[in-house]
Amino acid sequence: MTSDNPAALSEHDPQWAQTAAQCLLDVSVALIGLPGAASALVDHIGSTSVPGLAAKPILDLQLRILPLPSHANLNARLSPLGYEQALGSRPDSPGVHRDIPFGDESALTEVWEKRLYVAHSPSVILHIRRADSPWGAYTIWFRDWLIAHPEERQRYENTKRTLSSDNAGKTDYDDYTRAKGLYFREVRPAFCAWAEGASATEIGQ
């Protein structure tokens, strides 16, 4: 990122995947013994997880666990790794304490709750969601859909570059994140349908 645009993009770096894998391993080890940790899922998500896709050079990682750990438990286990609880750039920064419900409005209110942690060396955002969070599934399906559809990956990159340019001169990338959310909502039916079809194919094999 550059000082005049917090949403500046970098060309994809193959090293991101290796760094993310090590960070995920470190987090998994740190959480051993925590309720739900034995069946928790950890994933590299976001643009840095999609080969060939330009991205802000910040690794997005996801932990899906039930029950959702308290901040006290998480701070005790993650602080030694350099993580700290994220407060958001603004009072209404998106996705800090809760995900915005959409796509499964019948879900219980509590499934949208989350925890958010950040580290700076390497630069990481750790999204901690309930195992039954619809958003937790969406992030995986969207990642895999982009990998499987190069033309959609390119369309997404074009959108990101336009939004990044629009963000120049701002003090944070909250507006960039919200604008990307509109694109995500647009394509959600497509990647959900694709994910359901992929699952059905695997079951039939």
Side-chain angles (χ1 to χ4, degrees):
M1 293 184 293
T2 62
S3 58
D4 64 340
N5 186 358
L9 303 179
S10 298
E11 296 302 322
H12 190 88
D13 184 349
Q15 183 63 40
W16 286 339
Q18 299 175 39
T19 304
Q22 183 59 58
C23 291
L24 290 170
L25 176 60
D26 293 342
V27 167
S28 297
V29 170
L31 297 181
I32 289 175
L34 196 66
S39 57
L41 298 174
V42 291
D43 291 284
H44 182 195
I45 60 171
S47 294
T48 60
S49 69
V50 180
L53 180 61
K56 299 189 307 298
I58 304 172
L59 303 177
D60 281 290
L61 308 180
Q62 177 171 265
L63 167 69
R64 288 182 284 172
I65 186 171
L66 197 64
L68 196 64
S70 68
H71 280 299
N73 271 329
L74 290 169
N75 285 329
R77 293 167 179 271
L78 295 178
S79 291
L81 298 179
Y83 289 90
E84 57 189 37
Q85 183 181 343
L87 302 178
S89 301
R90 312 177 194 176
D92 63 345
S93 289
V96 176
H97 306 293
R98 291 175 58 81
D99 288 313
I100 299 173
F102 85 98
D104 192 354
E105 284 75 11
S106 64
L108 297 175
T109 300
E110 55 265 30
V111 306
W112 307 104
E113 186 179 358
K114 68 182 290 192
R115 311 280 189 250
L116 195 68
Y117 282 75
V118 296
H120 302 289
S121 184
S123 188
V124 174
I125 299 176
L126 176 60
H127 305 258
I128 303 174
R129 295 182 164 103
R130 287 171 50 118
D132 55 357
S133 163
W135 261 100
Y138 294 159
T139 61
I140 303 301
W141 297 346
F142 183 52
R143 177 199 67 190
D144 293 350
W145 179 72
L146 289 175
I147 293 172
H149 298 83
E151 71 286 356
E152 295 294 347
R153 182 190 68 208
Q154 187 60 55
R155 187 164 78 95
Y156 184 43
E157 178 169 313
N158 294 342
T159 299
K160 282 158 53 75
R161 290 191 183 280
T162 298
L163 297 177
S164 175
S165 178
D166 292 343
N167 196 81
K170 298 185 178 181
T171 58
D172 59 48
Y173 54 80
D174 276 11
D175 292 338
Y176 170 82
T177 299
R178 287 190 176 91
K180 280 199 310 176
L182 298 176
Y183 174 89
F184 191 83
R185 286 173 179 268
E186 175 194 336
V187 300
R188 187 191 67 82
F191 70 69
C192 285
W194 175 82
E196 291 168 1
S199 296
T201 299
E202 291 172 1
I203 293 172
Q205 289 178 346

